[in-house]
């Protein structure tokens, strides 16, 4: 099985999960070493926080790898759903965990706080999480985009409905623009205006992930 999940840490170490076997390897200095095994599991997200912990999202929960020790957080006392799809650490240190069907969770001071459809999200299937330069948190879902404000997720003024479907990726560039990868092309938000780029503008495919 040649499939897997590859992630590069800030110290340039490579972390690799080998296919459906779930073997986690660390590659450094041209050599690899086995670290852990997530047997029969599927890795859907990997993220390194500022202290150097590696967070691994899987179908059965959220794994935290710190000093080569693995801690598993599950629905019992962790995220609102085991299937973790996206992970981000905000500038205030909180870890945001997006799930595939259970909304998004904020992990802070050792506890998880869930946010779902009732809290303003258009869908509980979270596809992407990003923080812009002003500190505003953006969450992409299978039914559009929202930003976090005063404990709720608020919609943006999207008159042309360019961001009403799945938003698979979010990126804030150095010029202050925010880019959204959607099923219908790449959408750029600049000065409150939205511009869509599709295969007609040179993209190889309209689904931008």
């Amino acid at each position: 099985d040649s499939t897997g999940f590859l992630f590069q840490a800030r110290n340039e170490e490579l972390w690799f999960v080998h296919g459906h076997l779930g073997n986690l390897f660390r590659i450094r200095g041209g050599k690899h070493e086995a670290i852990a095994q997530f047997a029969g599991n599927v890795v859907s997200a990997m993220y390194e926080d500022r202290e150097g912990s590696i967070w691994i999202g899987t179908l059965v929960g959220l794994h935290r790898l710190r000093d080569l020790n693995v801690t598993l957080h599950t629905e019992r006392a962790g995220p609102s759903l085991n299937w973790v799809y996206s992970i981000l650490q905000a500038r205030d240190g909180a870890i945001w965990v997006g799930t595939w069907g259970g909304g998004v969770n904020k992990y802070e001071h050792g506890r998880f706080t869930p946010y779902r459809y009732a809290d303003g999200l258009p869908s509980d299937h979270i596809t992407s999480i990003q923080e812009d330069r002003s500190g505003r948190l953006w969450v992409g879902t299978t039914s559009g985009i929202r930003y976090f404000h005063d404990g709720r997720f608020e919609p943006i003024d999207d008159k042309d409905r360019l961001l009403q479907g799945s938003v698979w990726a979010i990126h804030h560039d150095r010029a202050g623009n925010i880019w959204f990868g959607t099923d219908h092309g790449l959408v750029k938000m600049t000065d409150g205006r939205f511009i869509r780029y599709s295969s007609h503008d040179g993209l190889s495919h309209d689904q931008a992930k």
Side-chain angles (χ1 to χ4, degrees), residues 166 168 181-186 198-199 203-209:
S166 295
W168 297 104
T182 77
D183 283 335
H184 305 287
L186 191 61
S198 69
S199 55
L203 292 181
S204 59
H205 197 281
D206 280 343
Q207 188 178 64
K209 288 190 175 183

Side-chain angles (χ1 to χ4, degrees), residues 2 8 14-15 30-31 42-43 46 70 73 78 87 91-92 100 117 134 145 151-152 162 166 174 180 186 206:
S2 60
Q8 183 173 15
L14 290 175
W15 294 82
K31 298 181 180 180
V42 175
V43 171
M46 291 185 74
V70 179
H73 300 277
I87 308 167
R91 64 181 62 184
D92 64 3
W100 194 254
Y117 181 82
S134 72
I145 191 83
R152 284 187 58 83
L162 299 181
S166 295
R174 294 178 181 177
F180 304 96
L186 191 61
D206 280 343

Side-chain angles (χ1 to χ4, degrees), residues 124-168:
D124 284 335
H125 290 80
I126 308 302
T127 52
S128 51
I129 309 173
Q130 186 59 266
E131 187 179 38
D132 66 24
R133 283 166 35 181
S134 72
R136 173 172 285 182
L137 187 83
W138 296 85
V139 172
T141 77
T142 53
S143 297
I145 191 83
R146 292 291 188 273
Y147 67 89
F148 192 62
H149 179 70
D150 287 343
R152 284 187 58 83
F153 285 91
E154 303 291 345
I156 59 176
D157 186 10
D158 180 19
K159 295 178 181 178
D160 295 326
R161 301 178 62 83
L162 299 181
L163 298 171
Q164 298 303 305
S166 295
V167 178
W168 297 104

Side-chain angles (χ1 to χ4, degrees), residues 15-17 22-26 33-36 38 46 56 65:
W15 294 82
F16 178 65
V17 179
N23 295 313
L24 175 66
F25 297 95
R26 179 173 62 181
E33 55 183 320
I35 302 298
F38 311 119
M46 291 185 74
I56 304 170
L65 182 65

Side-chain angles (χ1 to χ4, degrees), residues 33-135:
E33 55 183 320
I35 302 298
Q37 184 179 39
F38 311 119
N41 207 343
V42 175
V43 171
S44 48
M46 291 185 74
Y47 184 84
E48 181 185 16
D49 67 20
R50 288 193 286 274
E51 73 167 25
S53 292
I54 304 294
W55 297 80
I56 304 170
T58 71
L59 297 179
V60 301
L62 178 66
H63 299 77
R64 182 182 188 182
L65 182 65
R66 180 167 52 181
D67 299 326
L68 301 187
N69 296 311
V70 179
T71 302
L72 174 62
H73 300 277
T74 66
E75 296 173 17
R76 291 186 177 182
S80 53
L81 194 72
N82 282 340
W83 189 351
V84 173
Y85 198 83
S86 52
I87 308 167
L88 175 84
Q89 184 174 32
R91 64 181 62 184
D92 64 3
I95 302 289
W96 289 86
V97 180
T99 71
W100 194 254
V104 67
N105 300 258
K106 183 180 182 181
Y107 179 72
E108 192 174 35
H109 307 307
R111 61 179 297 182
F112 289 84
T113 302
Y115 297 89
R116 296 178 179 262
Y117 181 82
D119 301 296
L121 289 172
S123 168
D124 284 335
H125 290 80
I126 308 302
T127 52
S128 51
I129 309 173
Q130 186 59 266
E131 187 179 38
D132 66 24
R133 283 166 35 181
S134 72

